[in-house]
Amino acid sequence: EPEVTQTPSHQVTQMGQEVILRCVPISNHLYFYWYRQILGQKVEFLVSFYNNEISEKSEIFDDQFSVERPDGSNFTLKIRSTKLEDSAMYFCASSEDRTPGNTIYFGEGSWLTVV
Amino acid sequence: GNSVTQMEGPVTLSEEAFLTINCTYTATGYPSLFWYVQYPGEGLQLLLKATKADDKGSNKGFEATYRKETTSFHLEKGSVQVSDSAVYFCALIGSGNTGKLIFGQGTTLQVKP
């Protein structure tokens, strides 16, 4: 079964450093997402991306965050200057379309630890 | 705004016991409802879904029925196995269907042999 793949699986970074999390969505999917889960809290929506632009973003997704689809396969999340509170599991996801009940497929996540 | 509330965990059951994990939601219009599962060390996997009132989603022996009158989507399984031990997330996408999933807090299920 096709799957969403994410790298790295775990990254430790110092506060203030830039981090790029990478994702390869399912190949025929057109919609891409990032979610995050702070330890012990709910999975939260960050951003959705379609046709090379952001279609929706949450309040969490401030100027420190950016997304990009640099080529035909990768989808990246960049955090410009990490803070301790950015420590979380970051999930990439993709979907074929947005018809009612359309399945959103998730990757295994990238654990980010900011120290 | 839209929200999902799940029963507090952890839930600990013996193998072959009956499972119910309660989920209620708040949403305008007609959301689509989902259960995702996260096995240890893995990502989120769709378990089942329902897109309209009275629909029943089912997969791997799990079932959930979309109840609009009670705004609920409770997950049930008649006989759990040790391999069902995981975290279960109830979620919805609002009727505008932007692709933005709203998750509950997750319920940890531990099944003992």
Side-chain angles (χ1 to χ4, degrees):
Chain A
E1 185 175 318
E3 58 183 19
V4 176
T5 57
Q6 292 186 240
T7 54
S9 56
H10 189 197
Q11 182 162 353
V12 180
T13 189
Q14 291 206 325
M15 193 168 51
Q17 295 296 304
E18 176 182 283
V19 161
I20 297 177
L21 304 178
R22 291 182 168 79
C23 169
V24 179
I26 295 173
S27 61
N28 64 330
H29 286 187
L30 301 177
Y31 296 84
F32 314 115
Y33 315 88
W34 284 100
Y35 288 75
R36 79 171 185 189
Q37 184 182 27
I38 295 171
L39 191 63
Q41 297 186 24
K42 291 186 179 185
V43 178
E44 303 171 291
F45 169 82
L46 292 179
V47 66
S48 60
F49 190 87
Y50 169 70
N51 200 26
N52 280 321
E53 60 183 29
I54 290 173
S55 47
E56 186 175 358
K57 60 183 181 179
S58 70
E59 294 175 352
I60 304 165
F61 195 88
D62 61 22
D63 292 343
Q64 293 296 314
F65 292 89
S66 63
V67 288
E68 193 178 30
R69 188 158 164 81
D71 53 42
S73 59
N74 290 286
F75 180 51
T76 62
L77 174 69
K78 181 191 291 185
I79 310 174
R80 259 179 273 283
S81 177
T82 50
K83 306 172 204 162
L84 295 177
E85 55 264 37
D86 293 328
S87 296
M89 175 74 91
Y90 288 83
F91 291 105
C92 177
S94 69
S95 65
E96 192 171 355
D97 58 43
R98 297 200 304 198
T99 53
N102 180 58
T103 299
I104 296 176
Y105 293 86
F106 285 79
E108 293 191 354
S110 294
W111 255 121
L112 176 65
T113 302
V114 182
V115 297
Chain B
N2 296 341
S3 67
V4 176
T5 302
Q6 288 179 237
M7 62 186 287
E8 296 268 343
V11 173
T12 302
L13 296 172
S14 298
E15 208 165 21
E16 299 183 3
F18 184 85
L19 168 72
T20 301
I21 300 178
N22 289 338
C23 171
T24 57
Y25 67 90
T26 301
T28 54
Y30 298 89
S32 296
L33 302 175
F34 303 83
W35 277 99
Y36 278 84
V37 59
Q38 186 177 30
Y39 298 104
E42 299 185 16
L44 295 164
Q45 302 174 26
L46 178 69
L47 181 59
L48 53 85
K49 64 183 179 184
T51 58
K52 59 184 188 296
D54 300 324
D55 267 2
K56 179 187 282 187
S58 62
N59 185 26
K60 299 182 181 179
F62 291 89
E63 292 182 340
T65 302
Y66 188 146
R67 301 282 187 207
K68 188 152 179 71
E69 64 275 15
T70 54
T71 61
S72 64
F73 193 55
H74 304 320
L75 182 68
E76 296 182 337
K77 186 175 185 183
S79 176
V80 293
Q81 306 300 311
V82 172
S83 56
D84 293 327
S85 298
V87 182
Y88 292 81
F89 294 91
C90 186
L92 69 82
I93 288 179
S95 52
N97 199 21
T98 61
K100 174 182 172 182
L101 277 161
I102 306 295
F103 283 89
Q105 64 267 42
T107 302
T108 300
L109 170 65
Q110 185 176 35
V111 180
K112 296 189 173 179

